[in-house]
Amino acid sequence: MAGGAVSNSTYTTSKDTGAKPGNYLFPLILVTSLFFLWGLAYGLLDVLNKHFQEVLSITTKRSTLLQGAYFGAYFLMALPAGMFMNKFGYKKGIILGLLLYATGAFLFFPAAGALSFDFFLLALFILACGLACLETAANPYVTVLGDPATSEQRLNLSQCFNGLGSFLGPIIGGKLFFGSGTGDLTTVKLTYIVIGIVVLLIAGFFYRTPLPEIKEDEQEREQVMADTRPLSAHRHFVLGVIAQFFYVAAQVGVGALFINYVTAYWHGITTENASYLLSVGLGLFMGGRFVGTALMRKIAPNKLLAIYALINVALSAFVMTGDGAPAVYALIAIFFFMSIMFPTIFALGVKDLGVHTKRGASFQVMSIVGGASVPYLMGIVTEWQSLAISYGIPTFCFVVVFLYGWKGYKRV
């Protein structure tokens, strides 16, 4: 969703897996499809937000409960998913995630028939619980499916498909939901039935395909840090969790009301075309990862994080003016500068945690819950003041990210 963070752990494959070394191409394709699937789900989310406002006649504030259900599921499911996979293995965890994903997708059909927004929230919550399982498992799987020397290349390649899914989501949603001209939920039902069927097929492939079990490297298990302080005593970690909370809040807030903003302040533009502009923004987000990775060869990650956050503070402040097309362009540009933030904060926050690294990473994932509340707060500000002023909330969030990249990342 927010951008796959690279695991710091080292993994080895079990010898009794049924998968022969060198025959990992098909398993790799399957695992990479997971990145695309959760990217697509996120890309469709913000389009659904606007579509439900129009068809179900709900307020902007109420529609943001979609983000609450989606990211709240990540918060609630992160630890149970990890516990399940520790007991039963990552392959079964992936299959569980796919089954939950498909169940949530199929529930869109009765929810649309009942014209019930609350039913949609339940369906989306179940779907996102499945995504939480998939995100927990996918990164380690990619690292072991092939030569360890090229594990980072495989992971970056897989993450590109996450961006591709996010990019295509608004295009698909804009064409089917807004471009059909029906003004009802028929296309929503059909879209999610197709998604559910595809997800079930992929689950079947996973069930029948031998995959390596993931085991921690013995060398990592034996690693002991001289620093025996509790996790909460690591200042850079605690501030990293806070920064991650506010970053995800900003990212989700920027996207959740994007279509509303464009149609409100760029006079004459349709919701369909606004959804295509959202896709442009997500395309910049994807491209920004490549640019940011290249820049980090010359610029320290914390410095680049601070620079990008400061730029987004300025862009968000301009968005608050509601100055027509130029403000929309600024809103689109924000996506580019958000691209590196999640993985960079993640890496800085868990750095040098030693034996606490895995638990620290779990808290970083749980901080995604920041995306559950801020869109609703923006909806309240929209009703109280204006939609443009509501973007003051992401502006503040980017200030927090800037402070972390400037000084908060330091390990003391």
Side-chain angles (χ1 to χ4, degrees), residues 181-193:
T182 60
D184 59 24
L185 297 173
T186 301
T187 52
V188 172
K189 290 191 293 186
L190 295 176
T191 299
Y192 277 86
I193 286 174

Side-chain angles (χ1 to χ4, degrees), residues 161-174:
F161 283 87
N162 173 263
L164 178 62
S166 298
F167 171 72
L168 291 177
I171 296 176
I172 294 171

Side-chain angles (χ1 to χ4, degrees), residues 74-334:
Y74 271 83
F75 176 75
L76 295 174
M77 194 64 182
L79 289 180
M83 293 169 61
F84 180 90
M85 292 176 199
N86 283 337
K87 184 174 182 179
F88 298 105
Y90 280 80
K91 178 177 177 178
K92 290 182 179 178
I94 287 176
I95 294 173
L96 173 64
L98 290 168
L99 292 177
L100 288 171
Y101 189 158
T103 300
F106 287 134
L107 285 176
F108 269 63
F109 187 90
L115 293 176
S116 171
F117 182 66
D118 291 338
F119 202 157
F120 277 115
L121 291 178
L122 174 63
L124 190 62
F125 178 83
I126 294 173
L127 186 153
C129 283
L131 297 181
C133 293
L134 299 183
E135 290 216 39
T136 303
N139 284 339
Y141 255 118
V142 170
T143 63
V144 300
L145 294 177
D147 184 354
T150 58
S151 60
E152 292 183 358
Q153 296 176 27
R154 290 194 302 276
L155 191 54
N156 281 324
L157 175 63
S158 295
Q159 289 173 1
C160 288
F161 283 87
N162 173 263
L164 178 62
S166 298
F167 171 72
L168 291 177
I171 296 176
I172 294 171
K175 189 65 177 176
L176 296 179
F177 302 163
F178 301 132
S180 62
T182 60
D184 59 24
L185 297 173
T186 301
T187 52
V188 172
K189 290 191 293 186
L190 295 176
T191 299
Y192 277 86
I193 286 174
V194 172
I195 289 175
I197 292 172
V198 171
V199 169
L200 280 182
L201 288 174
I202 293 175
F205 282 126
F206 269 101
Y207 179 77
R208 296 179 61 86
T209 302
L211 289 175
E213 280 300 327
I214 297 175
K215 294 185 176 181
E216 292 182 352
D217 193 276
E218 294 294 334
Q219 189 176 20
E220 182 188 287
R221 273 201 214 109
E222 296 170 0
Q223 180 186 13
V224 178
M225 289 286 292
D227 188 352
T228 58
R229 292 179 299 166
L231 184 59
S232 59
H234 293 264
R235 176 177 171 272
H236 74 286
F237 160 73
V238 174
L239 295 180
V241 170
I242 295 171
Q244 198 70 278
F245 176 93
F246 281 100
Y247 162 66
V248 177
Q251 177 189 326
V252 176
V254 166
L257 300 182
F258 180 95
I259 296 176
N260 289 74
Y261 185 94
V262 173
T263 55
Y265 295 103
W266 191 334
H267 299 297
I269 198 166
T270 65
T271 51
E272 180 181 357
N273 288 332
S275 69
Y276 296 152
L277 289 177
L278 174 59
S279 185
V280 171
L282 291 169
L284 288 174
F285 185 90
M286 178 174 62
R289 288 179 173 174
F290 293 100
V291 175
T293 300
L295 289 175
M296 283 183 189
R297 296 177 180 176
K298 301 291 185 181
I299 304 173
N302 68 286
K303 290 183 180 179
L304 192 63
L305 176 67
I307 292 169
Y308 274 24
L310 198 59
I311 292 172
N312 270 354
V313 169
L315 290 172
S316 299
F318 184 66
V319 169
M320 291 176 66
T321 67
D323 188 19
V328 171
Y329 293 140
L331 183 58
I332 294 172
I334 288 173

